[in-house]
PDB file of all heavy atoms in Angstrom:
ATOM      1  N   SER A  33      75.799  53.381  76.640  1.00 92.00           N
ATOM      2  CA  SER A  33      76.150  53.345  78.066  1.00 92.00           C
ATOM      3  C   SER A  33      77.033  54.535  78.437  1.00 92.00           C
ATOM      4  O   SER A  33      76.813  55.187  79.476  1.00 92.00           O
ATOM      5  CB  SER A  33      76.829  52.030  78.431  1.00 92.00           C
ATOM      6  OG  SER A  33      77.998  51.841  77.651  1.00 92.00           O
ATOM      7  N   LEU A  34      78.005  54.849  77.601  1.00 94.00           N
ATOM      8  CA  LEU A  34      78.876  55.994  77.874  1.00 94.00           C
ATOM      9  C   LEU A  34      78.087  57.301  77.834  1.00 94.00           C
ATOM     10  O   LEU A  34      78.248  58.163  78.709  1.00 94.00           O
ATOM     11  CB  LEU A  34      80.027  56.058  76.871  1.00 94.00           C
ATOM     12  CG  LEU A  34      80.941  57.289  76.963  1.00 94.00           C
ATOM     13  CD1 LEU A  34      81.631  57.356  78.324  1.00 94.00           C
ATOM     14  CD2 LEU A  34      81.943  57.287  75.835  1.00 94.00           C
ATOM     15  N   LEU A  35      77.214  57.443  76.850  1.00 95.00           N
ATOM     16  CA  LEU A  35      76.424  58.672  76.734  1.00 95.00           C
ATOM     17  C   LEU A  35      75.482  58.838  77.923  1.00 95.00           C
ATOM     18  O   LEU A  35      75.293  59.952  78.419  1.00 95.00           O
ATOM     19  CB  LEU A  35      75.650  58.679  75.416  1.00 95.00           C
ATOM     20  CG  LEU A  35      76.519  58.684  74.159  1.00 95.00           C
ATOM     21  CD1 LEU A  35      75.662  58.547  72.910  1.00 95.00           C
ATOM     22  CD2 LEU A  35      77.402  59.927  74.098  1.00 95.00           C
ATOM     23  N   GLN A  36      74.926  57.749  78.423  1.00 94.00           N
ATOM     24  CA  GLN A  36      74.063  57.821  79.610  1.00 94.00           C
ATOM     25  C   GLN A  36      74.878  58.211  80.842  1.00 94.00           C
ATOM     26  O   GLN A  36      74.437  59.021  81.659  1.00 94.00           O
ATOM     27  CB  GLN A  36      73.355  56.487  79.856  1.00 94.00           C
ATOM     28  CG  GLN A  36      72.253  56.192  78.877  1.00 94.00           C
ATOM     29  CD  GLN A  36      70.973  56.961  79.190  1.00 94.00           C
ATOM     30  OE1 GLN A  36      70.928  57.876  79.999  1.00 94.00           O
ATOM     31  NE2 GLN A  36      69.908  56.571  78.530  1.00 94.00           N
ATOM     32  N   ILE A  37      76.057  57.641  80.983  1.00 94.00           N
ATOM     33  CA  ILE A  37      76.923  58.009  82.114  1.00 94.00           C
ATOM     34  C   ILE A  37      77.256  59.492  82.056  1.00 94.00           C
ATOM     35  O   ILE A  37      77.187  60.199  83.059  1.00 94.00           O
ATOM     36  CB  ILE A  37      78.220  57.157  82.126  1.00 94.00           C
ATOM     37  CG1 ILE A  37      77.894  55.725  82.541  1.00 94.00           C
ATOM     38  CG2 ILE A  37      79.273  57.763  83.048  1.00 94.00           C
ATOM     39  CD1 ILE A  37      79.040  54.757  82.355  1.00 94.00           C
ATOM     40  N   MET A  38      77.606  59.976  80.867  1.00 95.00           N
ATOM     41  CA  MET A  38      77.926  61.396  80.727  1.00 95.00           C
ATOM     42  C   MET A  38      76.702  62.259  81.030  1.00 95.00           C
ATOM     43  O   MET A  38      76.821  63.298  81.659  1.00 95.00           O
ATOM     44  CB  MET A  38      78.450  61.687  79.318  1.00 95.00           C
ATOM     45  CG  MET A  38      79.795  61.103  79.043  1.00 95.00           C
ATOM     46  SD  MET A  38      80.301  61.432  77.344  1.00 95.00           S
ATOM     47  CE  MET A  38      82.025  61.805  77.602  1.00 95.00           C
ATOM     48  N   HIS A  39      75.536  61.828  80.574  1.00 95.00           N
ATOM     49  CA  HIS A  39      74.308  62.594  80.820  1.00 95.00           C
ATOM     50  C   HIS A  39      74.013  62.718  82.312  1.00 95.00           C
ATOM     51  O   HIS A  39      73.582  63.768  82.786  1.00 95.00           O
ATOM     52  CB  HIS A  39      73.129  61.935  80.106  1.00 95.00           C
ATOM     53  CG  HIS A  39      71.827  62.601  80.374  1.00 95.00           C
ATOM     54  ND1 HIS A  39      70.853  62.024  81.144  1.00 95.00           N
ATOM     55  CD2 HIS A  39      71.346  63.811  80.008  1.00 95.00           C
ATOM     56  CE1 HIS A  39      69.813  62.850  81.228  1.00 95.00           C
ATOM     57  NE2 HIS A  39      70.088  63.930  80.547  1.00 95.00           N
ATOM     58  N   TYR A  40      74.251  61.654  83.067  1.00 93.00           N
ATOM     59  CA  TYR A  40      73.950  61.681  84.495  1.00 93.00           C
ATOM     60  C   TYR A  40      75.137  62.087  85.361  1.00 93.00           C
ATOM     61  O   TYR A  40      75.081  61.959  86.581  1.00 93.00           O
ATOM     62  CB  TYR A  40      73.355  60.338  84.941  1.00 93.00           C
ATOM     63  CG  TYR A  40      71.943  60.199  84.429  1.00 93.00           C
ATOM     64  CD1 TYR A  40      71.641  59.363  83.371  1.00 93.00           C
ATOM     65  CD2 TYR A  40      70.922  60.966  84.973  1.00 93.00           C
ATOM     66  CE1 TYR A  40      70.348  59.270  82.884  1.00 93.00           C
ATOM     67  CE2 TYR A  40      69.625  60.877  84.493  1.00 93.00           C
ATOM     68  CZ  TYR A  40      69.350  60.027  83.453  1.00 93.00           C
ATOM     69  OH  TYR A  40      68.074  59.950  82.973  1.00 93.00           O
ATOM     70  N   THR A  41      76.189  62.602  84.734  1.00 94.00           N
ATOM     71  CA  THR A  41      77.297  63.208  85.471  1.00 94.00           C
ATOM     72  C   THR A  41      77.070  64.711  85.409  1.00 94.00           C
ATOM     73  O   THR A  41      77.239  65.322  84.349  1.00 94.00           O
ATOM     74  CB  THR A  41      78.656  62.828  84.829  1.00 94.00           C
ATOM     75  OG1 THR A  41      78.757  61.410  84.780  1.00 94.00           O
ATOM     76  CG2 THR A  41      79.812  63.425  85.606  1.00 94.00           C
ATOM     77  N   PRO A  42      76.642  65.325  86.534  1.00 93.00           N
ATOM     78  CA  PRO A  42      76.208  66.729  86.498  1.00 93.00           C
ATOM     79  C   PRO A  42      77.208  67.686  85.852  1.00 93.00           C
ATOM     80  O   PRO A  42      76.816  68.538  85.056  1.00 93.00           O
ATOM     81  CB  PRO A  42      75.974  67.077  87.965  1.00 93.00           C
ATOM     82  CG  PRO A  42      75.649  65.769  88.605  1.00 93.00           C
ATOM     83  CD  PRO A  42      76.484  64.754  87.866  1.00 93.00           C
ATOM     84  N   PHE A  43      78.471  67.550  86.149  1.00 91.00           N
ATOM     85  CA  PHE A  43      79.447  68.483  85.586  1.00 91.00           C
ATOM     86  C   PHE A  43      79.505  68.371  84.066  1.00 91.00           C
ATOM     87  O   PHE A  43      79.478  69.377  83.357  1.00 91.00           O
ATOM     88  CB  PHE A  43      80.832  68.245  86.197  1.00 91.00           C
ATOM     89  CG  PHE A  43      81.859  69.198  85.659  1.00 91.00           C
ATOM     90  CD1 PHE A  43      81.923  70.494  86.119  1.00 91.00           C
ATOM     91  CD2 PHE A  43      82.744  68.799  84.668  1.00 91.00           C
ATOM     92  CE1 PHE A  43      82.852  71.386  85.605  1.00 91.00           C
ATOM     93  CE2 PHE A  43      83.665  69.684  84.152  1.00 91.00           C
ATOM     94  CZ  PHE A  43      83.722  70.981  84.622  1.00 91.00           C
ATOM     95  N   VAL A  44      79.558  67.146  83.560  1.00 93.00           N
ATOM     96  CA  VAL A  44      79.637  66.928  82.108  1.00 93.00           C
ATOM     97  C   VAL A  44      78.360  67.431  81.445  1.00 93.00           C
ATOM     98  O   VAL A  44      78.402  68.133  80.435  1.00 93.00           O
ATOM     99  CB  VAL A  44      79.879  65.438  81.794  1.00 93.00           C
ATOM    100  CG1 VAL A  44      79.817  65.180  80.300  1.00 93.00           C
ATOM    101  CG2 VAL A  44      81.214  64.988  82.364  1.00 93.00           C
TER     102      VAL A  44
END
Side-chain angles (χ1 to χ4, degrees):
S33 58
L34 174 61
L35 297 174
Q36 287 282 12
I37 288 170
M38 291 178 140
H39 176 251
Y40 287 105
T41 304
F43 181 78
V44 174

